[in-house]
Amino acid sequence: MSAYVILTLVAAAMVGFSAGALYLNASVVTAGLVRYGVPRSWWPWLATAKALGAVGLLVGLAVPAVGVAAGIGLVLYFTGAVATIVRARVFTHVPVPLFYAAPVVAALALGVTAT
């Protein structure tokens, strides 16, 4: 199995887990969103964006353009998360979205160079 496939599976699993935690209103996720001032009405949309991104990464293993689009979308999502955390001045939480974005960026980089 190639590094690209492994990283894509890891990225999809991590982002999918994050989406599931938000769908289930896990306090470890929702407490931060409350602290950052993210409206509760946005939570299902944010969870859906992550879930679709995770699925898109997996589909991208068969249809590379979909994986690239999903990867770009997730990078933008996590960039927005970092901006939201910085705006809320909770600087110690910045590494969390970066942790989830790292395998996405790596998979995206490997996928783009492989095509």
Side-chain angles (χ1 to χ4, degrees), residues 27-79:
S27 62
V28 68
V29 177
T30 58
L33 294 177
V34 168
R35 188 169 179 189
Y36 313 145
V38 177
R40 187 172 174 80
S41 63
W42 291 13
W43 299 0
W45 297 107
L46 295 173
T48 300
K50 287 193 277 189
L52 290 174
V55 170
L57 290 175
L58 296 175
V59 171
L61 293 172
V63 184
V66 173
V68 170
I72 291 169
L74 286 168
V75 167
L76 292 172
Y77 177 94
F78 289 118
T79 300

Side-chain angles (χ1 to χ4, degrees), residues 53-105:
V55 170
L57 290 175
L58 296 175
V59 171
L61 293 172
V63 184
V66 173
V68 170
I72 291 169
L74 286 168
V75 167
L76 292 172
Y77 177 94
F78 289 118
T79 300
V82 169
T84 299
I85 292 168
V86 168
R87 181 186 56 82
R89 305 181 71 76
V90 188
F91 302 112
T92 58
H93 290 195
V94 169
V96 175
L98 296 177
F99 172 75
Y100 284 96
V104 174
V105 170

